[in-house]
Amino acid sequence: MMRSLFSGVAGLRTHQTRMDVIGNNIANVNTVAYKSSSVTFQDLLYQTTQNASGANAATGRAGINAKQIGLGVSTGAISTNISTSGSAQNTGSPFDIRISGDAFFVVSDGSNQFYTRAGAFNVDANGTLAMATNGYPVMGYGTTTNATTGEIVINTATLTQLDIMSDENLISDPIQTTNAYTLGILDKNSDALSTTAGQMMSIPFYDNLGYSYTAQFRIEKVNGPTSADNGQYKMTMTDIVNSEGKSILQTTNTAGELEEMSAADKDTLLAGANVFGTGNVAYLTFDTFLTPAGESATGKITSVSTTQPTAHQTAQVKTQVNGEDMVGIALNLDKLAGDLVTATGPMYAGFRGMIESNNNRAIAINFEEMQNIDNKGSSTVNGKRGRITSDAGAGCAAGEMSSISIGQDGKITAAYTNGQTKLLGQIASATFANASGLEKAGDNLYASTLNSGEAVINDITANGGSMSTGELEMSNVDLSAEFTDMITTQRGFQANSRIITVSDSMLEELVNLKR
């Protein structure tokens, strides 16, 4: 009689445990990335009143099963439905991230690592990407510079917190101009080429500190303004002006004040400067007059040289600049900067950025797009930063961060007002041999256990997963299933309570046998 009472009590306890789990599931129906739990029952130890016996061939008696009376039910396991993802909820926040697949985000409290599917992140005052709920930093990989290529790449050697909006990352460093090109038409009949002033042309550029300048050039016929020269011209640097349009070629007057040099003094100074590799004049040869019969239709550059040609050159001279074939010549601003000094004082007040730095490199000028063809007497030649096919080598001033994007592989990229982009880091992910073995630690966090195995930290795409920004993973609680389980749990609890009341009534009858 007492066994049924104990079984009823055990039933009440286990059904209460199941109701506790159901209640927790329903309470977290709107919790970000919550994983529902379920209870598995198991029967308790049995009391054996008679052991089983085998068949006896001698007596002809068959075997008898054991007689056992169960002692109730207990909670066998509480399992987490961790493999089923919740639905996606759009939030529009750039730091809300939904992770797909079996992986987890990695966060830290400063001493221990935890794992979560809840990607509701924000950026704190120090620029660190962290959980919005408890401030735990999101862990990932920083960046390093490839020593060979100079490219910024992910440093997978060290797991660290992601300070994506640190003071360093808020600014994009300036980049010196290393490539430029000319374009347009140099018409031999233009009025400018018919005078000693020549055809003027300019090329803008940045130094490595982000200061902007414009190099000014004069293009003339090799043998004077009235000569034909058969498609041969010389190009000379005449000045460099700063962003305010003021010449950087300055000298000190008798009053000790800086003033712009005269045109003659500029020519004298630049004549000894190493602008085009070996001097301040580059000779350009076009294929306009390849035959005595007339002009070619192409009018393209065939030769660029620092040596004056003695005759018309028909062989096209190509050089390799940054791995690309191009017709060009290097404008060596290092040498130019070094020559801008006289005994009377500095002549480069507006040129400090370039001259004070030792890191400026030569600017390679590509002339392939310049043509020497008929344009009704009008020349349109000009220069631009970068390469003909891209902005590579164009350089830029310093810029401020304008936006941040997170790719499906977790790589974080910043865009800046100067048009540059920068790789800031990559959000790491963790997978486990048995994710169901993780221990819930509260705050949407999990901790590894002996049964989950150690975390394998890697790129989210390594296991076919991905990250999506602007959305969150919601709870995977199925309310219809929870309400159904609630009904069956309630009925089970009621039935077990009836066992206790009926057993009590039977005990009462037993006591009433003797009155």
Side-chain angles (χ1 to χ4, degrees):
M1 189 66 67
M2 298 300 292
R3 287 191 295 262
S4 62
L5 285 172
F6 291 141
S7 294
V9 171
L12 292 178
R13 288 174 177 170
T14 52
H15 281 81
Q16 181 59 59
T17 298
R18 189 184 190 193
M19 184 59 71
D20 292 340
V21 172
I22 293 171
N24 186 59
N25 287 340
I26 295 176
N28 286 282
V29 68
N30 289 315
T31 300
V32 175
Y34 175 79
K35 302 299 182 181
S36 63
S37 299
S38 60
V39 178
T40 302
F41 291 170
Q42 66 179 7
D43 52 356
L44 279 176
L45 178 68
Y46 283 77
Q47 180 181 359
T48 303
T49 58
Q50 179 178 317
N51 291 325
S53 62
N56 190 327
T59 61
R61 297 186 64 176
I64 300 175
N65 293 331
K67 296 178 181 178
Q68 295 179 295
I69 302 174
L71 300 180
V73 66
S74 67
T75 302
I78 300 178
S79 303
T80 302
N81 185 14
I82 207 163
S83 61
T84 301
S85 298
S87 59
Q89 179 184 16
N90 292 323
T91 65
S93 173
F95 296 121
D96 283 346
I97 307 173
R98 181 175 66 89
I99 195 168
S100 65
D102 299 328
F104 295 78
F105 297 109
V106 184
V107 298
S108 174
D109 65 355
S111 301
N112 304 298
Q113 282 187 2
F114 295 96
Y115 312 95
T116 183
R117 297 274 297 187
F121 303 140
N122 62 11
V123 176
D124 68 6
N126 294 323
T128 303
L129 185 66
M131 294 185 69
T133 54
N134 54 26
Y136 286 4
V138 179
M139 307 300 286
Y141 301 116
T143 59
T144 187
T145 302
N146 186 298
T148 303
T149 64
E151 180 185 6
I152 296 177
V153 296
I154 298 297
N155 179 17
T156 57
T158 305
L159 194 67
T160 183
Q161 69 181 37
L162 297 170
D163 300 326
I164 59 175
M165 295 185 70
S166 63
D167 292 341
E168 177 184 359
N169 288 334
L170 289 177
I171 300 297
S172 171
D173 293 335
I175 301 175
Q176 187 212 331
T177 299
T178 55
N179 287 89
Y181 64 96
T182 61
L183 72 167
I185 296 173
L186 182 66
D187 191 323
K188 70 175 184 178
N189 296 321
S190 66
D191 292 338
L193 287 175
S194 300
T195 67
T196 56
Q199 175 67 46
M200 301 306 296
M201 186 189 76
S202 62
I203 298 178
F205 64 91
Y206 289 99
D207 71 356
N208 67 316
L209 297 183
Y211 293 101
S212 63
Y213 301 94
T214 301
Q216 296 180 346
F217 302 89
R218 178 175 63 247
I219 301 176
E220 313 166 77
K221 294 179 180 180
V222 170
N223 296 310
T226 60
S227 65
D229 282 330
N230 294 328
Q232 294 176 344
Y233 302 86
K234 66 178 181 179
M235 176 175 168
T236 308
M237 177 182 280
T238 60
D239 203 351
I240 297 178
V241 298
N242 61 19
S243 59
E244 297 177 351
K246 297 180 180 179
S247 174
I248 65 164
L249 303 183
Q250 299 177 354
T251 188
T252 305
N253 59 24
T254 56
E257 301 171 338
L258 284 174
E259 63 180 19
E260 184 176 343
M261 299 177 69
S262 66
D265 288 341
K266 289 179 183 179
D267 288 342
T268 301
L269 176 67
L270 291 172
N274 190 0
V275 178
F276 290 117
T278 57
N280 190 32
V281 178
Y283 294 93
L284 314 178
T285 302
F286 295 85
D287 65 359
T288 303
F289 299 100
L290 289 179
T291 66
E295 298 181 0
S296 167
T298 59
K300 292 288 189 179
I301 285 277
T302 60
S303 175
V304 180
S305 174
T306 57
T307 304
Q308 181 174 347
T310 56
H312 181 65
Q313 300 174 5
T314 58
Q316 190 170 17
V317 178
K318 279 189 175 288
T319 58
Q320 279 273 338
V321 177
N322 296 325
E324 291 186 356
D325 283 327
M326 61 183 291
V327 174
I329 195 163
L331 167 62
N332 194 327
L333 292 171
D334 281 333
K335 299 293 181 64
L336 172 62
D339 289 337
L340 294 180
V341 179
T342 68
T344 58
M347 297 184 299
Y348 41 85
F351 205 41
R352 287 285 184 185
M354 181 174 293
I355 291 181
E356 290 185 354
S357 171
N358 295 321
N359 298 321
N360 284 284
R361 293 179 291 170
I363 300 174
I365 306 174
N366 187 336
F367 293 93
E368 283 185 322
E369 292 299 301
M370 185 188 292
Q371 288 184 282
N372 184 214
I373 58 176
D374 179 24
N375 194 40
K376 308 304 180 185
S378 174
S379 291
T380 61
V381 292
N382 208 345
K384 290 190 175 182
R385 296 180 291 110
R387 300 186 187 181
I388 295 173
T389 56
S390 70
D391 290 333
C396 62
E400 297 180 353
M401 183 183 291
S402 57
S403 65
I404 282 183
S405 61
I406 301 174
Q408 291 187 345
D409 55 1
K411 290 182 179 178
I412 306 171
T413 304
Y416 297 87
T417 53
N418 60 1
Q420 299 299 306
T421 59
K422 180 181 178 181
L423 181 62
L424 304 182
Q426 183 177 21
I427 300 173
S429 65
T431 55
F432 298 87
N434 174 30
S436 296
L438 291 170
E439 178 182 307
K440 291 183 177 181
D443 290 342
N444 290 332
L445 302 176
Y446 297 89
S448 61
T449 66
L450 292 175
N451 197 38
S452 69
E454 292 294 327
V456 178
I457 310 296
N458 51 24
D459 185 323
I460 181 66
T461 60
N463 297 305
S466 63
M467 296 183 188
S468 303
T469 58
E471 56 185 31
L472 293 173
E473 178 184 351
M474 298 308 296
S475 170
N476 68 352
V477 172
D478 184 345
L479 277 178
S480 61
E482 296 300 325
F483 286 145
T484 301
D485 289 342
M486 186 188 301
I487 293 171
T488 58
T489 302
Q490 179 187 14
R491 293 306 182 191
F493 189 91
Q494 287 177 332
N496 279 275
S497 67
R498 294 297 183 269
I499 293 174
I500 296 174
T501 56
V502 171
S503 296
D504 177 61
S505 297
M506 293 175 68
L507 285 172
E508 184 179 0
E509 290 298 324
L510 180 62
V511 171
N512 290 335
L513 288 176
K514 179 74 172 68
R515 294 188 179 182

